[in-house]
Amino acid sequence: PSRTFHGNHRLLTAQIISHYESINQCKRELPEYFNFASDVLDEWARLEKEGSRAANPAFWWVSAEGEEVRWSFAELGWLSRKAANVLSGACGLQRGDRAMAVLPRVPEWWLLSVACMRAGIVFIPGTSQLTAKDISYRLEASGAKCFISSEALAPAAEPVLPGSHSLQSKLLVGRGSRAGWLSLRELL
């Protein structure tokens, strides 16, 4: 029995399962290099621009207070390229480096995860419930070079950040600022 999958009427569940089975049985060529940001998001933006694909939001977020953020595929691609440049430039990260993010699920969480994919940076998500001890352990175990947090969550992590041997930069997400932290909003 087949049904439509995620509103895409051309792709049926049976086709998806068949595709993955063929990959597992080595019957399909796998690309040597695959980057979700450039191979999927940018391609969908291109198809929308030329009219081959219906224009739909790539990202749509609504806060508990009713604040709404909606990005098209082109906007998400453009913003993720800018964010990747911030991570590579101001934060000094290179392909293979690790960035740890302790953020609530705000739009910047998804933006930075796509930016990390685009730049080849390993994105290490952390829940806002992590304690300072948890953060310290994860920083040391991962060798993260960048720590990303919000204005509300940064104070809980700040006492353990100086003890990290690999940490090179701290990036603050949100409208505020904090001494010793780079501001994503300003850098974008």
Side-chain angles (χ1 to χ4, degrees):
S2 296
R3 64 178 178 82
T4 59
F5 187 76
H6 292 292
N8 187 338
H9 301 287
R10 291 173 289 155
L11 192 60
L12 301 175
T13 304
Q15 292 170 319
I16 294 169
I17 293 168
S18 169
H19 177 75
Y20 285 114
E21 285 174 354
S22 65
I23 289 173
N24 287 337
Q25 295 170 6
C26 300
K27 292 181 181 174
R28 289 209 181 193
E29 286 285 321
L30 293 177
E32 184 175 353
Y33 300 102
F34 174 78
N35 186 304
F36 178 79
S38 57
D39 294 337
V40 177
L41 293 178
D42 291 350
E43 178 64 13
W44 285 0
R46 184 188 67 75
L47 292 172
E48 282 184 358
K49 185 177 181 180
E50 69 183 26
S52 302
R53 185 176 192 283
N56 289 311
F59 179 82
W60 194 348
W61 176 85
V62 180
S63 73
E65 295 80 33
E67 179 188 0
E68 197 171 305
V69 174
R70 191 183 319 196
W71 294 323
S72 68
F73 284 95
E75 289 169 327
L76 181 56
W78 179 73
L79 285 168
S80 67
R81 281 189 285 280
K82 288 181 73 169
N85 286 337
V86 167
L87 294 170
S88 300
C91 295
L93 300 177
Q94 299 175 5
R95 180 174 296 279
D97 286 345
R98 293 163 188 86
M100 182 176 177
V102 176
L103 290 168
R105 294 304 179 255
V106 292
E108 292 86 356
W109 189 94
W110 282 276
L111 175 63
L112 288 164
S113 69
V114 172
C116 284
M117 287 180 221
R118 187 175 294 283
I121 296 166
V122 179
F123 184 71
I124 304 169
T127 175
S128 57
Q129 296 174 331
L130 292 175
T131 65
K133 183 179 176 182
D134 297 329
I135 291 169
S136 177
Y137 172 77
R138 283 167 172 77
L139 282 172
E140 289 309 306
S142 68
K145 292 185 176 180
C146 180
F147 185 78
I148 305 164
S149 195
S150 67
E151 189 177 7
L153 298 174
E158 222 159 29
V160 298
L161 297 180
S164 173
H165 297 95
S166 57
L167 194 64
Q168 296 174 353
S169 58
K170 299 178 288 187
L171 188 62
L172 192 67
V173 169
R175 292 182 173 92
S177 64
R178 192 164 191 82
W181 289 71
L182 300 169
S183 169
L184 178 65
R185 183 174 291 264
E186 289 176 15
L187 292 168
L188 285 177

